[in-house]
Amino acid sequence: MLEAMIHFNLDSFTHYFSADEVMGPYSQPSVSRSYVLECKDRKWIALHMSSPERFWQGLAQTIERPALFEDPRFKDREARIANQETLINLLGGLFKQRDRADWCVRLQERDVPHAPMYDSSEALQDPQARHLQLEVSAVHPRMGEFRTVRSPVSFDGERSLEVKPPPVLGVLKNKPAAQAGARKY
């Protein structure tokens, strides 16, 4: 697990080795130019504004501020990183003026990298999640339908869509430990 987690944190080590600087909790978002913004409908959207200038120009058009990135505070990568908080506040105010669905359409039209940030009630309704059959269910003998998320592991390209509902708390209370441990759910 340590090997995997160290590798997932590769950017932090690369930055340390190249700049001799330890990244803090807000370093990665500022360097990657990633933004998470609340919309009018209180839903969230993520923007990942990597290097290509066309993304920034598309964003300027989308937010109806075509000259925004001529401002010295936001004119290039270094200026945007240095003025991240100001840029977030500016974008935050603008994104609260429209619903998330409207922003997604507008950003898509200008090819601006973005994604809706789903909460648990929305994530499994996404077309890709539905295509992947991530939500599965089974009938519990006492509690009715039991819904959960399937295992991400597939064998030979086949998804396991079967799930067993969990036991009811305390049902095995009077069974001997050996017998309780041997029971399969």
Side-chain angles (χ1 to χ4, degrees), residues 10-51:
L10 187 59
D11 287 349
S12 179
F13 291 106
T14 301
H15 185 75
Y16 174 69
F17 294 144
S18 65
D20 197 28
E21 181 181 287
V22 175
M23 296 178 80
Y26 301 107
S27 299
Q28 181 62 28
S30 68
V31 172
S32 71
R33 282 122 20 241
S34 299
Y35 306 93
V36 176
L37 304 162
E38 186 177 16
C39 301
K40 182 179 180 180
D41 55 5
R42 305 193 72 186
K43 295 182 179 186
W44 294 78
I45 194 166
L47 304 178
H48 182 70
M49 304 299 296
S50 56
S51 299

Side-chain angles (χ1 to χ4, degrees), residues 1-10 13:
M1 286 191 302
L2 179 60
E3 290 170 315
M5 292 313 298
I6 292 291
H7 191 74
F8 279 124
N9 205 13
L10 187 59
F13 291 106

Side-chain angles (χ1 to χ4, degrees), residues 42-81:
R42 305 193 72 186
K43 295 182 179 186
W44 294 78
I45 194 166
L47 304 178
H48 182 70
M49 304 299 296
S50 56
S51 299
E53 191 61 27
R54 68 184 176 89
F55 294 157
W56 291 98
Q57 294 309 313
L59 178 61
Q61 296 300 319
T62 301
I63 62 175
E64 299 172 355
R65 302 278 172 97
L68 178 63
F69 300 112
E70 294 171 16
D71 181 322
R73 299 173 298 169
F74 314 126
K75 69 180 168 80
D76 58 26
R77 179 180 188 273
E78 289 74 24
R80 292 174 193 137
I81 291 171

Side-chain angles (χ1 to χ4, degrees), residues 172-185:
L172 299 177
K173 185 175 170 182
N174 297 324
K175 301 232 182 218
Q179 187 180 1
R183 187 171 180 170
K184 292 184 178 180
Y185 292 100

Side-chain angles (χ1 to χ4, degrees), residues 32-178:
S32 71
R33 282 122 20 241
S34 299
Y35 306 93
V36 176
L37 304 162
E38 186 177 16
C39 301
K40 182 179 180 180
D41 55 5
R42 305 193 72 186
K43 295 182 179 186
W44 294 78
I45 194 166
L47 304 178
H48 182 70
M49 304 299 296
S50 56
S51 299
E53 191 61 27
R54 68 184 176 89
F55 294 157
W56 291 98
Q57 294 309 313
L59 178 61
Q61 296 300 319
T62 301
I63 62 175
E64 299 172 355
R65 302 278 172 97
L68 178 63
F69 300 112
E70 294 171 16
D71 181 322
R73 299 173 298 169
F74 314 126
K75 69 180 168 80
D76 58 26
R77 179 180 188 273
E78 289 74 24
R80 292 174 193 137
I81 291 171
N83 294 288
Q84 177 188 16
E85 190 172 329
T86 303
L87 183 57
I88 289 172
N89 289 334
L90 189 147
L91 292 173
L94 293 171
F95 272 75
K96 285 187 178 179
Q97 296 175 7
R98 297 179 185 272
D99 289 343
R100 182 179 66 191
D102 187 27
W103 281 120
C104 286
V105 168
R106 294 168 65 84
L107 292 163
Q108 183 68 35
E109 288 172 352
R110 303 272 187 197
D111 198 29
V112 178
H114 71 283
M117 291 187 60
Y118 294 135
D119 63 24
S120 298
S121 71
E122 301 173 295
L124 297 176
Q125 301 310 312
D126 180 83
Q128 182 67 12
R130 292 179 90 49
H131 171 75
L132 293 172
Q133 299 170 290
L134 295 174
E135 183 179 329
V136 293
S137 64
V139 177
H140 190 283
R142 292 174 62 189
M143 298 169 50
E145 184 184 25
F146 166 76
R147 294 169 40 199
T148 189
V149 176
R150 72 169 174 79
S151 169
V153 178
S154 59
F155 297 96
D156 293 328
E158 296 293 321
R159 300 178 185 117
S160 175
L161 301 177
E162 290 186 32
V163 64
K164 303 257 187 224
V168 177
L169 185 62
V171 168
L172 299 177
K173 185 175 170 182
N174 297 324
K175 301 232 182 218

